[in-house]
Amino acid sequence: MARHGNLCVPLVLFSAIAVLAGCESGPSVSGAFDRNYNVTGPLRLELTNASGDVDISGSADGKVHVRGEVRASGFGFDNPQKRLDDTLANPPIEQRGDTIRIGKDMAHMRHVRIAYAIQVPRDTEVSATVASGAQTIRGVRGPVKVQAASGSIRVEKIERDVQLSTASGSCRPLILAMMYAYRPLREV
């Protein structure tokens, strides 16, 4: 009897791990979208992202280019392909004048991860909030305000004020020239 008891504990633990791993991942599908926006003056970029890395860089062409790498997952009755198709057809981006909002409707983004690569004109103000994912912002005039719940933050070549805060992660400002203004970090 003791022999069966010794085998039961590892078998139960292995079964529990296998079931929990299946619940976490489920089937997943991936795709990408590209969008371009014209702006006429200084730009304000407001970004909110539940999950996924964000890379924002200044460019010289005066346009906004947004590339999103989307991964939708689900389990049970969830339909990740439908969520992916909906996201690719209508990415969470809106433009109002010289303000672009990315992540406008996060309620419909359950089990969707979007990694963004965004190019903006140098004369851009950035406000970014990411729950989980690394953020890199470089080559914009600013000001820049970045918040993260979990993930690293890296900024470089920002000419105006920079405010960074993270609950769990690292903040790395890179000051590459004396002409760039820098305000001390605030870590939560």
Side-chain angles (χ1 to χ4, degrees):
M1 199 65 158
R3 183 175 179 188
H4 293 292
N6 288 341
L7 291 176
C8 247
V9 172
L11 183 59
V12 168
L13 286 175
F14 176 76
S15 298
I17 290 170
V19 167
L20 289 175
C23 288
E24 282 296 314
S25 60
S28 66
V29 290
S30 299
F33 64 83
D34 288 290
R35 297 292 187 274
N36 296 305
Y37 301 90
N38 292 315
V39 292
T40 56
L43 174 69
R44 176 164 172 78
L45 177 67
E46 299 173 0
L47 181 133
T48 305
N49 196 16
S51 179
D53 296 344
V54 173
D55 186 300
I56 300 170
S57 60
S59 69
D61 73 355
K63 295 182 181 181
V64 177
H65 308 280
V66 181
R67 176 159 178 83
E69 300 283 337
V70 183
R71 182 171 177 251
S73 61
F75 189 74
F77 294 108
D78 237 356
N79 187 342
Q81 185 64 53
K82 180 178 179 347
R83 237 179 298 108
L84 174 68
D85 293 343
D86 291 347
T87 303
L88 295 179
N90 188 23
I93 304 170
E94 69 179 6
Q95 179 180 12
R96 290 210 171 132
D98 289 331
T99 298
I100 293 183
R101 289 184 183 91
I102 298 176
K104 60 184 176 159
D105 190 9
M106 296 307 294
H108 293 87
M109 302 302 288
R110 272 191 41 215
H111 303 291
V112 174
R113 177 179 175 88
I114 304 177
Y116 289 103
I118 304 167
Q119 294 178 330
V120 295
R122 287 202 29 78
D123 196 11
T124 297
E125 174 183 343
V126 176
S127 176
T129 302
V130 174
S132 177
Q135 297 180 73
T136 302
I137 301 168
R138 65 185 168 282
V140 297
R141 196 159 280 129
V144 170
K145 181 178 180 180
V146 182
Q147 298 176 333
S150 175
S152 64
I153 300 171
R154 180 181 173 143
V155 295
E156 56 186 70
K157 295 184 181 179
I158 308 299
E159 295 179 21
R160 295 185 183 148
D161 287 347
V162 173
Q163 293 179 358
L164 309 175
S165 64
T166 182
S168 172
S170 63
C171 294
R172 290 186 33 192
L174 299 175
I175 302 171
L176 300 177
M178 295 301 284
M179 69 179 185
Y180 297 112
Y182 172 71
R183 197 161 92 188
L185 297 176
R186 177 178 62 100
E187 249 184 73
V188 178

PDB file of all heavy atoms in Angstrom, residues 88-108:
ATOM      1  N   LEU A  88      -6.779  42.603 -36.558  1.00  0.00           N
ATOM      2  CA  LEU A  88      -6.053  42.967 -37.775  1.00  0.00           C
ATOM      3  C   LEU A  88      -6.903  43.869 -38.669  1.00  0.00           C
ATOM      4  O   LEU A  88      -6.378  44.792 -39.302  1.00  0.00           O
ATOM      5  CB  LEU A  88      -5.630  41.716 -38.540  1.00  0.00           C
ATOM      6  CG  LEU A  88      -4.618  40.806 -37.837  1.00  0.00           C
ATOM      7  CD1 LEU A  88      -4.314  39.586 -38.705  1.00  0.00           C
ATOM      8  CD2 LEU A  88      -3.358  41.551 -37.465  1.00  0.00           C
ATOM      9  N   ALA A  89      -8.206  43.621 -38.724  1.00  0.00           N
ATOM     10  CA  ALA A  89      -9.095  44.435 -39.562  1.00  0.00           C
ATOM     11  C   ALA A  89      -9.323  45.820 -38.960  1.00  0.00           C
ATOM     12  O   ALA A  89      -9.486  46.796 -39.694  1.00  0.00           O
ATOM     13  CB  ALA A  89     -10.427  43.727 -39.756  1.00  0.00           C
ATOM     14  N   ASN A  90      -9.343  45.904 -37.646  1.00  0.00           N
ATOM     15  CA  ASN A  90      -9.621  47.166 -36.971  1.00  0.00           C
ATOM     16  C   ASN A  90      -8.686  47.317 -35.769  1.00  0.00           C
ATOM     17  O   ASN A  90      -9.111  47.125 -34.621  1.00  0.00           O
ATOM     18  CB  ASN A  90     -11.090  47.211 -36.529  1.00  0.00           C
ATOM     19  CG  ASN A  90     -11.476  48.560 -35.999  1.00  0.00           C
ATOM     20  OD1 ASN A  90     -10.856  49.558 -36.307  1.00  0.00           O
ATOM     21  ND2 ASN A  90     -12.505  48.587 -35.171  1.00  0.00           N
ATOM     22  N   PRO A  91      -7.414  47.644 -36.018  1.00  0.00           N
ATOM     23  CA  PRO A  91      -6.468  47.784 -34.906  1.00  0.00           C
ATOM     24  C   PRO A  91      -6.919  48.870 -33.933  1.00  0.00           C
ATOM     25  O   PRO A  91      -7.616  49.814 -34.335  1.00  0.00           O
ATOM     26  CB  PRO A  91      -5.158  48.200 -35.592  1.00  0.00           C
ATOM     27  CG  PRO A  91      -5.331  47.873 -37.019  1.00  0.00           C
ATOM     28  CD  PRO A  91      -6.794  47.935 -37.309  1.00  0.00           C
ATOM     29  N   PRO A  92      -6.526  48.754 -32.678  1.00  0.00           N
ATOM     30  CA  PRO A  92      -6.957  49.737 -31.675  1.00  0.00           C
ATOM     31  C   PRO A  92      -6.195  51.062 -31.795  1.00  0.00           C
ATOM     32  O   PRO A  92      -5.410  51.440 -30.932  1.00  0.00           O
ATOM     33  CB  PRO A  92      -6.658  49.028 -30.353  1.00  0.00           C
ATOM     34  CG  PRO A  92      -5.510  48.134 -30.669  1.00  0.00           C
ATOM     35  CD  PRO A  92      -5.724  47.690 -32.087  1.00  0.00           C
ATOM     36  N   ILE A  93      -6.425  51.758 -32.916  1.00  0.00           N
ATOM     37  CA  ILE A  93      -5.726  53.022 -33.196  1.00  0.00           C
ATOM     38  C   ILE A  93      -6.753  54.030 -33.681  1.00  0.00           C
ATOM     39  O   ILE A  93      -7.614  53.696 -34.502  1.00  0.00           O
ATOM     40  CB  ILE A  93      -4.658  52.844 -34.294  1.00  0.00           C
ATOM     41  CG1 ILE A  93      -3.662  51.755 -33.912  1.00  0.00           C
ATOM     42  CG2 ILE A  93      -3.939  54.160 -34.565  1.00  0.00           C
ATOM     43  CD1 ILE A  93      -2.724  51.358 -35.037  1.00  0.00           C
ATOM     44  N   GLU A  94      -6.657  55.259 -33.187  1.00  0.00           N
ATOM     45  CA  GLU A  94      -7.506  56.328 -33.713  1.00  0.00           C
ATOM     46  C   GLU A  94      -6.685  57.605 -33.820  1.00  0.00           C
ATOM     47  O   GLU A  94      -5.785  57.842 -33.028  1.00  0.00           O
ATOM     48  CB  GLU A  94      -8.749  56.544 -32.848  1.00  0.00           C
ATOM     49  CG  GLU A  94      -8.473  57.138 -31.491  1.00  0.00           C
ATOM     50  CD  GLU A  94      -9.740  57.364 -30.680  1.00  0.00           C
ATOM     51  OE1 GLU A  94     -10.841  56.972 -31.109  1.00  0.00           O
ATOM     52  OE2 GLU A  94      -9.623  57.938 -29.593  1.00  0.00           O
ATOM     53  N   GLN A  95      -7.011  58.401 -34.833  1.00  0.00           N
ATOM     54  CA  GLN A  95      -6.350  59.688 -35.030  1.00  0.00           C
ATOM     55  C   GLN A  95      -7.400  60.784 -34.965  1.00  0.00           C
ATOM     56  O   GLN A  95      -8.440  60.702 -35.608  1.00  0.00           O
ATOM     57  CB  GLN A  95      -5.640  59.748 -36.382  1.00  0.00           C
ATOM     58  CG  GLN A  95      -4.957  61.081 -36.626  1.00  0.00           C
ATOM     59  CD  GLN A  95      -4.255  61.156 -37.966  1.00  0.00           C
ATOM     60  OE1 GLN A  95      -4.428  60.314 -38.832  1.00  0.00           O
ATOM     61  NE2 GLN A  95      -3.444  62.190 -38.121  1.00  0.00           N
ATOM     62  N   ARG A  96      -7.110  61.783 -34.164  1.00  0.00           N
ATOM     63  CA  ARG A  96      -7.939  62.992 -34.083  1.00  0.00           C
ATOM     64  C   ARG A  96      -7.000  64.169 -34.209  1.00  0.00           C
ATOM     65  O   ARG A  96      -6.280  64.501 -33.266  1.00  0.00           O
ATOM     66  CB  ARG A  96      -8.694  63.050 -32.771  1.00  0.00           C
ATOM     67  CG  ARG A  96      -9.772  62.009 -32.697  1.00  0.00           C
ATOM     68  CD  ARG A  96     -10.913  62.461 -31.840  1.00  0.00           C
ATOM     69  NE  ARG A  96     -11.998  61.511 -31.981  1.00  0.00           N
ATOM     70  CZ  ARG A  96     -12.649  60.996 -30.973  1.00  0.00           C
ATOM     71  NH1 ARG A  96     -12.353  61.343 -29.752  1.00  0.00           N
ATOM     72  NH2 ARG A  96     -13.627  60.148 -31.187  1.00  0.00           N
ATOM     73  N   GLY A  97      -6.984  64.774 -35.378  1.00  0.00           N
ATOM     74  CA  GLY A  97      -6.063  65.875 -35.621  1.00  0.00           C
ATOM     75  C   GLY A  97      -4.626  65.396 -35.501  1.00  0.00           C
ATOM     76  O   GLY A  97      -4.233  64.432 -36.145  1.00  0.00           O
ATOM     77  N   ASP A  98      -3.869  66.058 -34.641  1.00  0.00           N
ATOM     78  CA  ASP A  98      -2.468  65.680 -34.445  1.00  0.00           C
ATOM     79  C   ASP A  98      -2.266  64.879 -33.165  1.00  0.00           C
ATOM     80  O   ASP A  98      -1.195  64.895 -32.562  1.00  0.00           O
ATOM     81  CB  ASP A  98      -1.587  66.935 -34.454  1.00  0.00           C
ATOM     82  CG  ASP A  98      -1.496  67.532 -35.856  1.00  0.00           C
ATOM     83  OD1 ASP A  98      -1.596  66.758 -36.833  1.00  0.00           O
ATOM     84  OD2 ASP A  98      -1.335  68.750 -35.982  1.00  0.00           O
ATOM     85  N   THR A  99      -3.316  64.153 -32.747  1.00  0.00           N
ATOM     86  CA  THR A  99      -3.228  63.219 -31.624  1.00  0.00           C
ATOM     87  C   THR A  99      -3.552  61.832 -32.138  1.00  0.00           C
ATOM     88  O   THR A  99      -4.562  61.627 -32.814  1.00  0.00           O
ATOM     89  CB  THR A  99      -4.216  63.593 -30.498  1.00  0.00           C
ATOM     90  OG1 THR A  99      -3.889  64.884 -29.996  1.00  0.00           O
ATOM     91  CG2 THR A  99      -4.162  62.581 -29.358  1.00  0.00           C
ATOM     92  N   ILE A 100      -2.690  60.885 -31.829  1.00  0.00           N
ATOM     93  CA  ILE A 100      -2.934  59.494 -32.194  1.00  0.00           C
ATOM     94  C   ILE A 100      -2.998  58.698 -30.902  1.00  0.00           C
ATOM     95  O   ILE A 100      -2.087  58.773 -30.071  1.00  0.00           O
ATOM     96  CB  ILE A 100      -1.852  58.952 -33.139  1.00  0.00           C
ATOM     97  CG1 ILE A 100      -1.953  59.672 -34.481  1.00  0.00           C
ATOM     98  CG2 ILE A 100      -1.988  57.434 -33.303  1.00  0.00           C
ATOM     99  CD1 ILE A 100      -0.999  59.209 -35.540  1.00  0.00           C
ATOM    100  N   ARG A 101      -4.099  57.944 -30.756  1.00  0.00           N
ATOM    101  CA  ARG A 101      -4.289  57.082 -29.586  1.00  0.00           C
ATOM    102  C   ARG A 101      -4.190  55.634 -30.037  1.00  0.00           C
ATOM    103  O   ARG A 101      -4.906  55.209 -30.947  1.00  0.00           O
ATOM    104  CB  ARG A 101      -5.649  57.340 -28.944  1.00  0.00           C
ATOM    105  CG  ARG A 101      -5.728  58.663 -28.253  1.00  0.00           C
ATOM    106  CD  ARG A 101      -7.068  58.841 -27.527  1.00  0.00           C
ATOM    107  NE  ARG A 101      -7.119  60.168 -26.933  1.00  0.00           N
ATOM    108  CZ  ARG A 101      -7.605  61.246 -27.540  1.00  0.00           C
ATOM    109  NH1 ARG A 101      -8.077  61.133 -28.768  1.00  0.00           N
ATOM    110  NH2 ARG A 101      -7.605  62.411 -26.939  1.00  0.00           N
ATOM    111  N   ILE A 102      -3.336  54.905 -29.375  1.00  0.00           N
ATOM    112  CA  ILE A 102      -3.163  53.483 -29.664  1.00  0.00           C
ATOM    113  C   ILE A 102      -3.570  52.719 -28.407  1.00  0.00           C
ATOM    114  O   ILE A 102      -3.123  53.043 -27.315  1.00  0.00           O
ATOM    115  CB  ILE A 102      -1.704  53.167 -30.052  1.00  0.00           C
ATOM    116  CG1 ILE A 102      -1.337  53.943 -31.323  1.00  0.00           C
ATOM    117  CG2 ILE A 102      -1.510  51.667 -30.235  1.00  0.00           C
ATOM    118  CD1 ILE A 102       0.091  53.795 -31.747  1.00  0.00           C
ATOM    119  N   GLY A 103      -4.435  51.723 -28.583  1.00  0.00           N
ATOM    120  CA  GLY A 103      -4.946  50.966 -27.441  1.00  0.00           C
ATOM    121  C   GLY A 103      -6.209  51.582 -26.899  1.00  0.00           C
ATOM    122  O   GLY A 103      -6.459  51.552 -25.705  1.00  0.00           O
ATOM    123  N   LYS A 104      -7.010  52.158 -27.770  1.00  0.00           N
ATOM    124  CA  LYS A 104      -8.185  52.930 -27.364  1.00  0.00           C
ATOM    125  C   LYS A 104      -9.260  52.096 -26.674  1.00  0.00           C
ATOM    126  O   LYS A 104     -10.016  52.601 -25.872  1.00  0.00           O
ATOM    127  CB  LYS A 104      -8.788  53.652 -28.564  1.00  0.00           C
ATOM    128  CG  LYS A 104      -9.231  52.696 -29.663  1.00  0.00           C
ATOM    129  CD  LYS A 104      -9.741  53.389 -30.878  1.00  0.00           C
ATOM    130  CE  LYS A 104     -10.058  52.338 -31.931  1.00  0.00           C
ATOM    131  NZ  LYS A 104     -10.947  52.741 -32.912  1.00  0.00           N
ATOM    132  N   ASP A 105      -9.374  50.809 -26.967  1.00  0.00           N
ATOM    133  CA  ASP A 105     -10.435  49.990 -26.404  1.00  0.00           C
ATOM    134  C   ASP A 105      -9.855  48.682 -25.870  1.00  0.00           C
ATOM    135  O   ASP A 105      -9.945  47.643 -26.505  1.00  0.00           O
ATOM    136  CB  ASP A 105     -11.495  49.713 -27.473  1.00  0.00           C
ATOM    137  CG  ASP A 105     -12.746  49.080 -26.900  1.00  0.00           C
ATOM    138  OD1 ASP A 105     -12.875  49.014 -25.658  1.00  0.00           O
ATOM    139  OD2 ASP A 105     -13.603  48.661 -27.692  1.00  0.00           O
ATOM    140  N   MET A 106      -9.296  48.746 -24.684  1.00  0.00           N
ATOM    141  CA  MET A 106      -8.610  47.595 -24.121  1.00  0.00           C
ATOM    142  C   MET A 106      -9.566  46.519 -23.610  1.00  0.00           C
ATOM    143  O   MET A 106      -9.164  45.390 -23.395  1.00  0.00           O
ATOM    144  CB  MET A 106      -7.680  48.044 -22.988  1.00  0.00           C
ATOM    145  CG  MET A 106      -6.552  48.951 -23.465  1.00  0.00           C
ATOM    146  SD  MET A 106      -5.602  48.268 -24.828  1.00  0.00           S
ATOM    147  CE  MET A 106      -4.837  46.883 -24.033  1.00  0.00           C
ATOM    148  N   ALA A 107     -10.840  46.830 -23.406  1.00  0.00           N
ATOM    149  CA  ALA A 107     -11.794  45.857 -22.888  1.00  0.00           C
ATOM    150  C   ALA A 107     -11.960  44.663 -23.837  1.00  0.00           C
ATOM    151  O   ALA A 107     -12.210  43.548 -23.401  1.00  0.00           O
ATOM    152  CB  ALA A 107     -13.144  46.527 -22.645  1.00  0.00           C
ATOM    153  N   HIS A 108     -11.797  44.898 -25.130  1.00  0.00           N
ATOM    154  CA  HIS A 108     -11.967  43.825 -26.118  1.00  0.00           C
ATOM    155  C   HIS A 108     -10.656  43.107 -26.442  1.00  0.00           C
ATOM    156  O   HIS A 108     -10.614  42.298 -27.357  1.00  0.00           O
ATOM    157  CB  HIS A 108     -12.571  44.393 -27.409  1.00  0.00           C
ATOM    158  CG  HIS A 108     -13.969  44.864 -27.218  1.00  0.00           C
ATOM    159  ND1 HIS A 108     -14.262  46.141 -26.788  1.00  0.00           N
ATOM    160  CD2 HIS A 108     -15.145  44.225 -27.364  1.00  0.00           C
ATOM    161  CE1 HIS A 108     -15.567  46.267 -26.693  1.00  0.00           C
ATOM    162  NE2 HIS A 108     -16.128  45.128 -27.043  1.00  0.00           N
TER     163      HIS A 108
END
